[in-house]
Amino acid sequence: MAEELLLDNNGKITGHLTKSLLAVAFLSSFGSSMLYGYNLAVVNSPSQYIKSFFNESIVENYHWIPDEELLTVLYSLTVSVFAIGGMTGALLVGRLVTKYGRRGTVVRSSLLVFIGGALMGFSRACRMPSMVIFGRFITGVHSGISLSAVPMYLGEIAPKNLRGFLGLVPSIHICMGVFIAQVLGLQELLGQEEHWPTLLSLVIFPTIVQVMLLPWFPESPRYLLIEKENVHATIAALKWYRTKGNIQAEVEEMQEEQRSLSSIKTISVWGLLLDRTVRWQVITIIVVNISMQLSGIDAIWFYTNDIFKNAGISEAYIQYTTVGTGAIEVISGVLGCFTIDRLGRKPLMIGGFLFMGVCCAGITVSVLFQTELPFMRYISVGCVVGIIAGFCIGPAGVPFLLTAELFKQSHRPAAYTVAGCLNWLSNFTIGFVFPFLEIATGPYCYLIFCAICLGVAVYSIFVIPETKNKTFMEISQMFASRNNILEEELVTTDHLKMSLMNGYGALEQQDLH
């Protein structure tokens, strides 16, 4: 059976974008990455209604009136507890993707969305603010899992020349989620006091679609071969995703990676941090994932309305201005997705962070002088739009893609755990601290974001290699000299019994001596 599957494809290996690849990329992102973007922005529009609900509930339940500072803390907790949940999910993702597979993890974690959505949806009726906070936490756990599992899944099923395109499909859906939350939050739609629980709980509907359809798609071929040693399932999965070309070349590339591993078992987080052969890869994912959140983009997403209000935009037009920025996010994400495999990862990272840095400095300057120069308020809005556009073109998705590309199969789950935890910890820090940072430093707080953006742009120029059209083994070898590792050390020669695959997909047990 395995021989027949391989012999059906006699052409050369090609990276065609098949319907199956496109469908699984959009479906896995639709019920996961899009919800992440939606949850980031959905609390922005009904912020005053949520604060009022907290105030009314405390008065009803405890018979005392909270001050404005306490309500600000509770709302900041509501915003940032999503990131605490995300960090919890990121800590779990390594074990989950190893035990259940990449697709299996995405499907199973969907149950959390139904729990979180129900808690938020019924919170007002039950007069319990804790249900909003706990519901945000639960949906954050789901996003923490899926935000790592989906890019890992897509990175492993994609041909090397399409890894960039498929790797940025989740970032497009993140932008779409933000945009949808902004549109539905308009006063004419669900942006009214009685509708905010419905607005928060709508996350369950994309998840229903994903749960119904995604289980019909195959698991990652790399996971099936390298970790489960299921050759027939591997070849069948490749046949599903590659309708043209010879899949033998991909099987041989996986076999080469399998031979380079000292063990089929995945490496722990501690093992990853101590492994000198991936030292600079680990440093790179730490830098790009922390800077992705500390670039100031979360402050823009969480507090867009407040930023526009401080810039002098009329209350009546703020919501429409916010929706306009969401549309620009989607356009920028699509632009990045269709150019990454042509331009490469480095140009999008460097250009995106440089542009964000300039715009952060521009916000500071415009806010300082908008009293004397009224036209500066429009410069401020333009800089906010510029930060969002610069982020969505590259920094929004490339860090997740790099986390998949810089590591081999044995290190990848631990790498996503590290990257995810740092990403979410930074997300929480900005979400909770930014209101108080803005009060303490005023417009100068954006200079901090400016310095971070410029710093990571410089790091990208001098440290991060271009990974476009490279196999995972080739990328590991590109870091060999920087890690002071000889290339032959990357291919283990330990006296281990390993499973080797011949040209027809049969397994042979051989001793390496």
Side-chain angles (χ1 to χ4, degrees):
M1 179 64 180
E3 181 176 0
E4 292 176 359
L5 287 172
L6 283 168
L7 291 178
D8 281 344
N9 295 286
N10 295 317
K12 295 181 179 180
I13 182 170
T14 55
H16 290 89
L17 183 61
T18 63
K19 292 180 180 178
S20 297
L21 280 173
L22 196 59
V24 76
F26 277 89
L27 186 60
S28 58
S29 302
F30 179 71
S32 301
S33 303
M34 192 174 75
L35 301 189
Y36 167 71
Y38 186 87
N39 282 304
L40 280 179
V42 73
V43 291
N44 184 41
S45 174
S47 59
Q48 293 303 319
Y49 302 139
I50 294 174
K51 288 180 182 179
S52 297
F53 168 65
F54 287 168
N55 182 62
E56 293 168 5
S57 299
I58 292 173
V59 171
E60 291 176 10
N61 297 331
Y62 302 102
H63 307 293
W64 63 279
I65 301 175
D67 56 24
E68 189 64 30
E69 184 176 354
L70 176 60
L71 292 176
T72 300
V73 170
L74 287 175
Y75 178 72
S76 295
L77 179 62
T78 304
V79 172
S80 54
V81 77
F82 178 70
I84 299 177
M87 187 166 58
T88 305
L91 287 170
L92 299 173
V93 73
R95 291 179 177 271
L96 293 174
V97 296
T98 301
K99 182 176 181 179
Y100 299 113
R102 283 58 168 149
R103 185 215 59 191
T105 297
V106 174
V107 174
R108 284 174 170 82
S109 65
S110 298
L111 175 64
L112 297 171
V113 179
F114 296 108
I115 298 174
L119 285 171
M120 292 186 291
F122 292 107
S123 58
R124 190 165 182 263
C126 296
R127 311 304 293 172
M128 294 181 63
S130 60
M131 291 176 65
V132 181
I133 297 173
F134 194 60
R136 289 273 295 172
F137 173 79
I138 294 295
T139 54
V141 175
H142 169 262
S143 289
I145 295 170
S146 61
L147 212 59
S148 293
V150 171
M152 194 186 308
Y153 181 36
L154 298 181
E156 292 182 6
I157 67 174
K160 63 182 181 181
N161 64 310
L162 290 176
R163 244 185 358 244
F165 174 81
L166 292 180
L168 288 196
V169 169
S171 70
I172 293 178
H173 281 78
I174 292 174
C175 297
M176 286 175 57
V178 172
F179 178 62
I180 291 170
Q182 292 167 340
V183 172
L184 293 178
L186 291 172
Q187 290 289 332
E188 294 82 353
L189 297 176
L190 298 179
Q192 300 174 26
E193 185 170 8
E194 63 270 21
H195 296 318
W196 67 262
T198 303
L199 186 64
L200 266 59
S201 64
L202 286 178
V203 291
I204 65 174
F205 293 104
T207 308
I208 292 173
V209 176
Q210 186 185 73
V211 169
M212 290 175 61
L213 299 179
L214 190 59
W216 295 96
F217 289 83
E219 183 55 80
S220 160
R222 287 183 175 275
Y223 172 79
L224 293 171
L225 176 63
I226 299 177
E227 298 187 40
K228 292 300 182 182
E229 301 183 57
N230 190 332
V231 184
H232 292 279
T234 300
I235 298 170
L238 282 172
K239 287 276 293 181
W240 183 283
Y241 292 123
R242 313 281 190 271
T243 56
K244 297 180 181 179
N246 189 350
I247 63 175
Q248 178 64 36
E250 286 197 68
V251 174
E252 290 174 354
E253 188 264 320
M254 293 182 205
Q255 176 187 351
E256 179 187 0
E257 183 177 345
Q258 185 183 40
R259 286 199 299 266
S260 76
L261 304 178
S262 61
S263 173
I264 298 300
K265 294 181 180 179
T266 55
I267 288 178
S268 66
V269 170
W270 186 245
L272 176 76
L273 298 177
L274 294 180
D275 190 348
R276 67 189 182 95
T277 65
V278 293
R279 181 176 301 146
W280 276 97
Q281 289 98 309
V282 172
I283 293 173
T284 297
I285 65 166
I286 289 174
V287 169
V288 297
N289 279 279
I290 289 178
S291 59
M292 176 184 173
Q293 302 297 341
L294 298 187
S295 62
I297 188 63
D298 282 329
I300 300 295
W301 272 336
F302 287 149
Y303 303 102
T304 305
N305 287 4
D306 290 338
I307 292 170
F308 286 157
K309 183 178 180 180
N310 293 336
I313 303 297
S314 171
E315 289 270 5
Y317 296 105
I318 284 179
Q319 60 175 342
Y320 303 107
T321 308
T322 302
V323 170
T325 64
I328 292 172
E329 290 173 38
V330 176
I331 294 171
S332 301
V334 172
L335 181 62
C337 190
F338 280 97
T339 57
I340 187 170
D341 285 319
R342 186 177 298 273
L343 298 178
R345 284 64 162 150
K346 284 188 71 169
L348 295 185
M349 281 283 287
I350 295 167
F353 276 113
L354 282 176
F355 193 61
M356 291 176 72
V358 171
C359 290
C360 284
I363 289 180
T364 299
V365 173
S366 61
V367 172
L368 286 174
F369 292 99
Q370 69 183 15
T371 303
E372 294 82 6
L373 303 171
F375 73 89
M376 277 293 185
R377 68 182 59 180
Y378 302 107
I379 301 295
S380 178
V381 173
C383 287
V384 169
V385 173
I387 290 173
I388 292 171
F391 180 77
C392 292
I393 286 176
V398 174
F400 296 112
L401 177 61
L402 285 177
T403 306
E405 291 186 327
L406 299 188
F407 297 91
K408 293 183 289 186
Q409 194 80 9
S410 58
H411 295 65
R412 198 170 294 129
Y416 267 103
T417 298
V418 172
C421 286
L422 292 173
N423 194 307
W424 285 100
L425 181 61
S426 304
N427 184 303
F428 168 77
T429 302
I430 290 296
F432 192 80
V433 171
F434 179 74
F436 306 101
L437 180 66
E438 190 176 33
I439 292 171
T441 63
Y444 292 104
C445 66
Y446 291 96
L447 293 181
I448 300 173
F449 302 141
C450 173
I452 292 172
C453 290
L454 297 181
V456 73
V458 172
Y459 182 89
S460 300
I461 292 171
F462 291 105
V463 177
I464 301 178
E466 181 54 67
T467 58
K468 180 179 68 173
N469 287 335
K470 298 288 192 299
T471 66
F472 295 122
M473 284 298 298
E474 290 170 341
I475 295 169
S476 294
Q477 291 166 0
M478 291 165 68
F479 274 94
S481 60
R482 189 174 293 278
N483 288 322
N484 295 320
I485 301 296
L486 297 176
E487 289 192 13
E488 52 266 27
E489 287 186 62
L490 293 174
V491 181
T492 181
T493 56
D494 293 340
H495 296 0
L496 297 171
K497 181 177 286 187
M498 296 182 64
S499 299
L500 300 181
M501 181 181 291
N502 64 22
Y504 298 105
L507 285 177
E508 297 176 352
Q509 296 296 327
Q510 297 185 9
D511 289 321
L512 298 181
H513 298 290

